[in-house]
Amino acid sequence: MIRGYRYIGHKQPFIDAKEKVTGRARYLDDIMLPGMLCGKILRSPYPHAKILAIDTSEAEKLPGVHAVITAKDCPPNRFGLSIPDVNILAIDKVRYVGDEVAAVAADNEGTAEEALRLIKVEYEELPAVVEVDDALAPDAQLVHSDKPGNVATRYHLVRGDIDADFARCDYIFEDEFQTSRVHGCYMEPFGAIAEWDQRDRLTVWTGIQAAFHARNEIALALGIKPSQVRVKSPYIGGGFGAKIWIRNFHPVAAVLARKSGRPVKIVLTREEEMLTTRPRTPAKIKIKLGMMADGTLVCKETKIWANNGAYSWAAPKILLNMSMRTDCLYRFKSTKTESLLVYTNLVPTSGFRGYGNTQMHFALESMIDNASRKIGLDPVAVRIKNAVRQGDVTLHGWKIRSCGLTECLEEAYNRIRVGRLPKEAQGGRIKRGIGVACMNHVSGNRGGDNFDGSAAMVRFHEDGRLFVYSGESDMGQGARTVFAQIAAETMGIPIDDIVIMPLDTDISPFGYGSYSSRVTTVGGKAVYLATKQLKEQFLKLATKVMQAEVDNLEIKDGLVYDRLNPGNKKSVADVARIGVRTKEGAALTVYYTYDPPTEGSDAEGYGDYSSAYNYGAHGIEVEVDTETGRVKVLRVVAAHDVGTAININGVIGQIAGGIAQGLGYGLLENVIHDNNGMPKTTSLRHYIIPTIKDMPQIEPVIVETNDPIGPYGAKGVGEPTLIPTAPAIANAIEDAVAVRLKDLPLTSEKIFWALHSQSKEGRK
Amino acid sequence: MSDKGYVFPTSIDKCIVLLTKHAGAARLIAGGTDLMLFLRERKTQSRILVDITRIPELQNIEVGPEQVSIGAAVTHAEVALNPFVRKSLSALADGCESVGSPQIRNIATLVGNVVSAQPAADGAVALLALGAEAEIVSAAGRRRELAENLYVGVGRSKVDPSEELITRLIVKLPTQRFGTAFARYAPREALSLPLVNTAVWLTANRGRIEDVRIVMGPVATHPLRAWEAEKILKGVDLNDGIALKEAAQIAAREAHPRDSLLRGSGQYRKVLVRELVEKALKSAANQVKEGV
């Protein structure tokens, strides 16, 4: 608006909102194919057991059953990300409750369920490895026989001379934190439909965040070529990271479809989602922090033990992020991190909104608050004193091209102090406090010399409507709308003339997908550059049609004007029609591949690897009932450096959603297992996430730093809004009741016992 | 699930005839919010479901000078919205309003909340504090029992829905002044089972407590009466905050919440019992004083 934009920076209603609220948007389970069967998976009831025998004969005899499969029917390929440790169906052994053992395809759900009951599996139970410490014990059972010591991966990262730095610090603080295993709780359960065609190509419909990765992973699991697989994405009902990567059911559906010769649909039940989603990797984090008396942060040494669960998925990458990213939040002189990812017989973990940053920020932002208070300094002043700034090159080689960290901290701190409620109520029973925490994150993430860009195709049709194709998915975050805004703004045509095409890996340009808060920044940039190039093509055509100089032509609201001769104008549709339908034969199509100008990180993790770095800070006011330990989050000021807000509605939505999930992470949520590895939070009755009634008042503050690389200056905001929420709550609780809690979630019971530690002595 | 049939009898007599005819293979259904899940999960089986919600005499809340009668087809939402219940039996309105979600409350019945025999059931906990009786009809005839005597174990009621029917719940209204209150503690503000809940009913004469009932859940296998706490409250001045507090402490000692990975330690939940019982006692006492 300030810059005279017609769409960028406006409150643009989501272009697919009407389809969604009227129920016309088609999600996976709305899709019915002729002859389609229902697929169901038999899962392990044990955390750890040998499979002695599987008898599927009774299930096969059941009328209406078309295919029953076990590992014998599946290609023996191992898949997964950096550590391929997953088979399509369990071979010889199951490693967690929910592990896939067999599967059936039948005419309907009831028959498929009945068939599962008829499969007889003989197990021999093995001792389950549950906690990290058990897994690392010298005589521990191995979760994978080829992974000695149950270690999935480890990192050792050192920058600067940490020993010399600790030796010169005025203060050294040490503390330990524990984060929890958190479920994404996306509204739409995950699923897939698989169908083979007569040319031996496989089509998989699935609402996945990274369609091209999915294509290759499915091909790898099945032992076929990536181009033999076509992934088509219907509307997606949320993902939050748990739908970035494929799950076993994707190749399972393909094997069932192959064996039955029919399309097969598998949609997980909510119970299956509770057992087998990929929750946030929990970690024990020890920090040693070196400070000067004036609040200068000097050095940080970190040890991390993360509970991988039974298979690796993205957890190695999560651990790497945990081990590195906060080193670049402040101007540390040196850092050292040793971290370990450990196999256990629990649900495999992976990335959930924050991708490792959520865990480490809870620890560090709690730690800095605590340390500052102990030496009588204002924790926010300490943060601002040490905050990275534009122009910095951080310890890990990030080049900070735009940075609103200080401004976010100031906004959050100043605004949360305005309009505060009294510090006490009900005769001191209720106590209130405020806390602040900040964060950094990325907008893309280049590993090594991998591609970290995006491609876009734009094509004018003869009626002047512009079709936009991208390989990046919209899981509900508003990518379609952002792409439409960018295309409409760049071309100068109404947003209603933009059509965002569905994602189909056979047709859509190559893209990495919706993760690393990268879609607006790199996907949007590809759309911007493609549209810009198409505009040049279009204007060249218009000069001929309108007999005008290209420099004098302008497109506005769907009309092409000649600036020197205002009477000479034509609609975009007229020009497009002439281009397509006359002997002009104009292509009016551009396919543009964009890769951001970053170098990527080397083998030691050093290097500038993201197109932009995002910053934010939350100021939170809480009240604590000292007699029950209940915490109520009253207000959140959420200040985020988004570079440029492309869609203010989208940014505000991300802030509200991130706060809801951050509040759940901070106070309520935990995927719980008992000492034997049996899951306890097996339904949404037991796994408590916040409802709208638990939501605080939210004051969003958009800080714009106009990033030099992002489209129209934009950076990502998807993950950042969750990250500072939990540590800000912990800091506010300390401000209210002088109790420091280090073990997520901060349940009312933990707070109660921390406040009444005398009574705790009397506990059994 | 039942694959044989689903019937709507139009009278209590026809309903009993149907149950008798199927000799244990039929099962009553009203809201079905528990039963449908149990059938789907094969925790229970039934050849034929007998839906009682179209029997006219089960559909009403009847408010008389001496008692309130709540029919078996009356939903939690209907109870919670009833003007008399809201004004004079607020514990019951608040309990019913705390069950599940609006969708559940619009279909689940209060009688179902008793028959499902869950120790945490907000509606039933409130109802028991009011001393409700259940009218039960079977082929053998019609009888009345105190609702609190219908509990056999977790999820197990004395009333067998393949043989007999609770037609209505009856809450007698005291002639002297009385007050009621409900309180619960849950990890979030809606759609959540309570860590602890409690309901209190008390009558008073000349500013002193005459009779009192305190019911707590889920702190035992069934909603639990705090008998000892009730005893010491008889004759206590409504304004005696110390005595109310002491009673709450005794109630907490009477409660036996188990340690649970999901709900928290038993020790902590006893703390919550004390908090809630004290809060509910004070609230009920205030109602009497204010003459609500």
Side-chain angles (χ1 to χ4, degrees):
Chain A
M1 286 170 291
I2 302 163
R3 307 173 198 86
Y5 290 137
R6 177 78 181 75
Y7 294 105
I8 303 296
H10 287 244
K11 288 190 169 183
Q12 176 67 42
F14 279 18
I15 58 169
D16 46 16
K18 208 182 264 180
E19 285 154 76
K20 288 186 178 176
V21 299
T22 55
R24 293 208 319 273
R26 296 221 307 170
Y27 293 82
L28 180 77
D29 210 17
D30 298 321
I31 298 173
M32 304 299 275
L33 302 178
M36 189 171 76
L37 302 175
C38 172
K40 285 272 170 197
I41 295 172
L42 184 70
R43 298 176 180 280
S44 167
Y46 300 111
H48 201 186
K50 271 188 203 161
I51 299 173
L52 301 178
I54 306 178
D55 179 0
T56 59
S57 54
E58 290 301 311
E60 280 160 32
K61 281 184 224 155
L62 186 71
V65 172
H66 296 260
V68 183
I69 60 167
T70 65
K72 283 182 192 145
D73 301 275
C74 300
N77 309 310
R78 279 181 158 199
F79 56 106
L81 301 173
S82 52
I83 306 173
D85 53 13
V86 185
N87 287 105
I88 297 176
L89 290 170
I91 300 175
D92 302 334
K93 193 164 134 160
V94 286
R95 295 182 175 84
Y96 78 103
V97 174
D99 212 349
E100 291 82 355
V101 175
V104 302
D107 286 334
N108 54 55
E109 198 174 357
T111 307
E113 282 170 356
E114 184 62 37
L116 288 188
R117 280 188 282 269
L118 294 172
I119 299 174
K120 299 280 172 288
V121 186
E122 207 181 312
Y123 293 101
E124 179 190 317
E125 279 191 76
L126 296 169
V129 180
V130 178
E131 300 294 340
V132 165
D133 292 344
D134 310 337
L136 294 174
D139 56 343
Q141 277 277 327
L142 290 186
V143 178
H144 294 266
S145 57
D146 60 345
K147 303 286 189 241
N150 285 320
V151 173
T153 197
R154 62 171 83 228
Y155 299 105
H156 179 76
L157 296 158
V158 185
R159 306 276 183 229
D161 188 346
I162 189 127
D163 295 331
D165 281 339
F166 271 121
R168 72 181 172 89
C169 283
D170 294 331
Y171 296 101
I172 296 174
F173 298 96
E174 291 188 69
D175 227 327
E176 185 179 314
F177 300 87
Q178 175 70 51
T179 70
S180 50
R181 193 180 288 101
V182 187
H183 197 298
C185 282
Y186 29 83
M187 202 177 294
E188 183 200 19
F190 210 178
I193 298 170
E195 181 181 40
W196 295 86
D197 71 11
Q198 64 283 3
R199 292 174 301 165
D200 225 18
R201 292 191 77 228
L202 171 69
T203 300
V204 178
W205 287 260
T206 185
I208 201 158
Q209 292 174 235
F212 282 89
H213 288 320
R215 182 190 68 174
N216 290 30
E217 283 285 321
I218 292 166
L220 179 68
L222 296 172
I224 59 177
K225 290 191 170 67
S227 61
Q228 275 178 277
V229 181
R230 175 184 197 179
V231 172
K232 296 177 78 171
S233 179
Y235 277 86
I236 307 177
F240 309 111
K243 292 182 184 168
I244 300 174
W245 313 107
I246 65 162
R247 303 233 193 114
N248 297 58
F249 68 76
H250 287 95
V252 164
V255 175
L256 285 171
R258 170 77 94 189
K259 191 165 180 186
S260 63
R262 307 260 289 262
V264 172
K265 180 197 275 184
I266 295 178
V267 176
L268 299 186
T269 63
R270 186 59 70 180
E271 289 72 20
E272 286 179 292
E273 282 285 21
M274 296 314 293
L275 288 179
T276 68
T277 187
R278 299 292 176 249
R280 180 179 293 141
T281 312
K284 180 168 85 179
I285 301 170
K286 270 190 182 168
I287 302 179
K288 184 174 160 191
L289 184 69
M291 279 177 86
M292 302 309 285
D294 68 353
T296 303
L297 298 171
V298 180
C299 49
K300 167 167 88 84
E301 187 177 340
T302 310
K303 289 189 175 139
I304 305 171
W305 296 263
N307 191 329
N308 192 24
Y311 302 99
S312 295
W313 299 96
K317 183 69 192 166
I318 307 300
L319 185 69
L320 182 63
N321 292 347
M322 264 191 245
S323 305
M324 287 183 63
R325 282 192 182 164
T326 58
D327 298 352
C328 303
L329 179 60
Y330 300 108
R331 291 168 156 175
F332 290 109
K333 300 291 176 295
S334 55
T335 56
K336 177 179 167 185
T337 305
E338 284 177 81
S339 55
L340 205 58
L341 183 67
V342 180
Y343 282 110
T344 60
N345 292 115
L346 304 183
V347 60
T349 62
S350 192
F352 167 24
R353 208 171 184 176
Y355 233 72
N357 241 350
T358 334
Q359 294 90 321
M360 191 58 203
H361 272 82
F362 173 70
L364 183 65
E365 285 297 283
S366 295
M367 180 95 196
I368 286 176
D369 218 78
N370 204 16
S372 303
R373 284 170 184 276
K374 278 187 181 156
I375 57 175
L377 297 176
D378 180 334
V380 179
V382 168
R383 289 187 176 90
I384 290 172
K385 183 182 177 70
N386 294 282
V388 296
R389 286 162 199 275
Q390 188 184 347
D392 283 6
V393 176
T394 70
L395 271 183
H396 296 303
W398 297 7
K399 293 174 183 161
I400 309 303
R401 287 168 283 271
S402 62
C403 179
L405 178 56
T406 298
E407 203 180 336
C408 288
L409 277 163
E410 286 167 351
E411 290 281 357
Y413 195 33
N414 292 337
R415 289 172 190 254
I416 199 65
R417 284 182 293 178
V418 175
R420 288 187 61 179
L421 289 170
K423 288 190 120 177
E424 288 191 357
Q426 295 179 26
R429 173 177 175 146
I430 302 291
K431 296 198 188 296
R432 302 193 180 97
I434 58 167
V436 173
C438 64
M439 71 95 223
N440 64 351
H441 202 67
V442 296
S443 303
N445 184 352
R446 187 192 305 282
D449 61 356
N450 286 341
F451 181 65
D452 188 35
S454 184
M457 184 167 75
V458 290
R459 176 183 175 196
F460 260 126
H461 283 262
E462 61 194 279
D463 56 3
R465 297 192 93 195
L466 183 65
F467 282 34
V468 176
Y469 300 76
S470 166
E472 314 295 347
S473 64
D474 189 330
M475 57 175 144
Q477 83 273 36
R480 284 188 197 92
T481 305
V482 161
F483 290 166
Q485 286 176 281
I486 289 172
E489 188 74 54
T490 308
M491 187 56 75
I493 60 177
I495 198 164
D496 291 345
D497 286 344
I498 307 290
V499 179
I500 305 296
M501 295 302 287
L503 209 171
D504 176 341
T505 57
D506 271 9
I507 296 162
S508 305
F510 183 72
Y512 261 10
S514 292
Y515 56 89
S516 290
S517 298
R518 63 194 292 286
V519 171
T520 295
T521 312
V522 294
K525 182 78 174 226
V527 170
Y528 167 76
L529 292 169
T531 310
K532 205 169 144 225
Q533 209 173 76
L534 179 63
K535 188 173 186 177
E536 285 162 21
Q537 214 187 89
F538 180 88
L539 286 175
K540 217 158 124 192
L541 171 68
T543 55
K544 283 165 90 179
V545 174
M546 295 171 65
Q547 302 289 317
E549 294 290 321
V550 72
D551 291 347
N552 297 333
L553 288 179
E554 193 181 336
I555 311 175
K556 209 179 157 191
D557 294 332
L559 290 173
V560 195
Y561 296 88
D562 180 351
R563 270 197 226 100
L564 297 184
N565 178 8
N568 183 15
K569 59 183 176 188
K570 267 205 169 347
S571 73
V572 167
D574 282 345
V575 178
R577 188 187 52 77
I578 291 163
V580 173
R581 286 282 176 176
T582 70
K583 63 184 177 180
E584 289 295 338
L588 294 185
T589 300
V590 169
Y591 187 115
Y592 197 105
T593 300
Y594 162 75
D595 194 44
T598 55
E599 64 234 22
S601 48
D602 65 18
E604 273 74 51
Y606 188 89
D608 183 34
Y609 67 62
S610 174
S611 175
Y613 301 95
N614 332 329
Y615 300 92
H618 287 184
I620 292 187
E621 183 177 13
V622 301
E623 70 178 30
V624 182
D625 182 337
T626 54
E627 293 301 321
T628 61
R630 186 181 197 85
V631 172
K632 193 171 164 61
V633 177
L634 301 170
R635 285 192 303 139
V636 180
V637 177
H640 285 273
D641 165 18
V642 299
T644 297
I646 301 282
N647 185 0
I648 289 176
N649 279 348
V651 173
I652 291 173
Q654 288 287 2
I655 285 174
I659 288 169
Q661 288 181 327
L663 194 150
Y665 176 54
L667 298 177
L668 297 168
E669 297 180 45
N670 199 2
V671 174
I672 296 172
H673 301 78
D674 70 12
N675 293 336
N676 303 315
M678 294 301 290
K680 304 304 285 182
T681 38
T682 51
S683 79
L684 287 175
R685 183 159 61 114
H686 298 123
Y687 187 84
I688 301 294
I689 60 173
T691 72
I692 197 162
K693 281 189 154 183
D694 303 284
M695 285 296 280
Q697 182 190 324
I698 295 172
E699 186 180 343
V701 182
I702 297 173
V703 171
E704 298 197 313
T705 51
N706 195 21
D707 185 75
I709 298 178
Y712 294 95
K715 308 197 271 192
V717 71
E719 293 166 278
T721 57
L722 193 155
I723 295 168
T725 311
I729 291 173
N731 296 341
I733 291 171
E734 165 150 31
D735 188 53
V737 292
V739 158
R740 172 57 61 179
L741 290 139
K742 302 164 192 169
D743 175 16
L744 287 173
L746 314 179
T747 60
S748 55
E749 173 161 9
K750 286 180 194 167
I751 292 162
F752 177 85
W753 292 122
L755 287 167
H756 301 260
S757 41
Q758 254 83 29
S759 345
K760 198 182 181 181
E761 305 298 315
R763 284 173 79 197
K764 54 172 176 174
Chain B
M1 236 201 95
S2 159
D3 52 0
K4 293 287 190 286
Y6 195 101
V7 291
F8 291 95
T10 49
S11 71
I12 293 171
D13 287 349
K14 284 179 185 163
C15 177
I16 297 301
V17 167
L18 274 167
L19 290 180
T20 311
K21 189 176 112 191
H22 288 92
R27 206 177 193 292
L28 295 179
I29 181 168
T33 51
D34 282 331
L35 182 59
M36 293 309 288
L37 294 177
F38 294 162
L39 289 169
R40 180 174 277 194
E41 293 163 5
R42 302 193 172 208
K43 285 182 188 162
T44 185
Q45 303 214 322
S46 171
R47 265 217 317 270
I48 183 162
L49 294 176
V50 179
D51 189 319
I52 56 144
T53 58
R54 293 188 189 171
I55 300 173
E57 55 202 292
L58 304 184
Q59 292 171 347
N60 299 321
I61 301 175
E62 284 163 20
V63 178
E66 285 163 16
Q67 65 177 42
V68 176
S69 156
I70 299 164
V74 174
T75 65
H76 288 84
E78 286 166 338
V79 176
L81 288 172
N82 181 279
F84 179 83
V85 174
R86 287 183 82 81
K87 184 168 169 289
S88 300
L89 302 171
S90 64
L92 185 58
D94 292 346
C96 287
E97 209 170 327
S98 303
V99 171
S101 62
Q103 293 90 334
I104 297 287
R105 293 193 291 273
N106 281 340
I107 184 167
T109 61
L110 182 57
V111 166
N113 207 235
V114 175
V115 179
S116 66
Q118 292 299 323
D122 295 298
V125 162
L127 195 70
L128 266 44
L130 304 183
E133 291 177 10
E135 182 183 78
I136 303 164
V137 177
S138 68
R142 197 172 286 247
R143 69 181 197 277
R144 273 201 195 189
E145 282 198 53
L146 266 180
E148 74 170 84
N149 292 340
L150 298 177
Y151 287 78
V152 180
V154 177
R156 287 169 56 222
S157 171
K158 215 193 256 181
V159 181
D160 179 350
S162 68
E163 279 181 6
E164 50 193 356
L165 165 68
I166 295 183
T167 52
R168 57 189 180 129
L169 298 160
I170 296 133
V171 176
K172 294 217 173 84
L173 301 173
T175 47
Q176 62 275 63
R177 301 177 77 157
F178 72 102
T180 72
F182 175 83
R184 82 201 294 266
Y185 190 91
R188 68 177 170 204
E189 297 289 333
L191 302 169
S192 180
L193 289 170
L195 296 189
V196 173
N197 60 9
T198 189
V200 161
W201 169 96
L202 55 81
T203 62
N205 196 3
R206 298 173 187 214
R208 289 191 177 275
I209 296 173
E210 271 197 351
D211 203 359
V212 57
R213 283 188 218 101
I214 301 169
V215 179
M216 309 171 288
V219 294
T221 55
H222 51 86
L224 186 72
R225 283 286 288 276
W227 295 105
E228 297 300 320
E230 290 176 11
K231 247 185 239 166
I232 72 134
L233 283 168
K234 307 251 160 91
V236 161
D237 190 304
L238 289 171
N239 292 312
D240 187 348
I242 291 167
L244 300 185
K245 199 182 188 80
E246 196 190 332
Q249 274 161 359
I250 292 169
R253 282 205 289 275
E254 291 180 79
H256 303 290
R258 287 189 311 177
D259 287 339
S260 153
L261 285 171
L262 298 171
R263 284 181 165 148
S265 72
Q267 198 68 29
Y268 172 63
R269 286 161 67 215
K270 273 174 173 279
V271 171
L272 296 178
V273 169
R274 189 188 68 208
E275 283 297 314
L276 294 184
V277 170
E278 185 184 350
K279 188 175 152 192
L281 282 170
K282 282 184 176 165
S283 167
N286 281 338
Q287 275 183 25
V288 179
K289 286 187 272 178
E290 287 156 16
V292 176

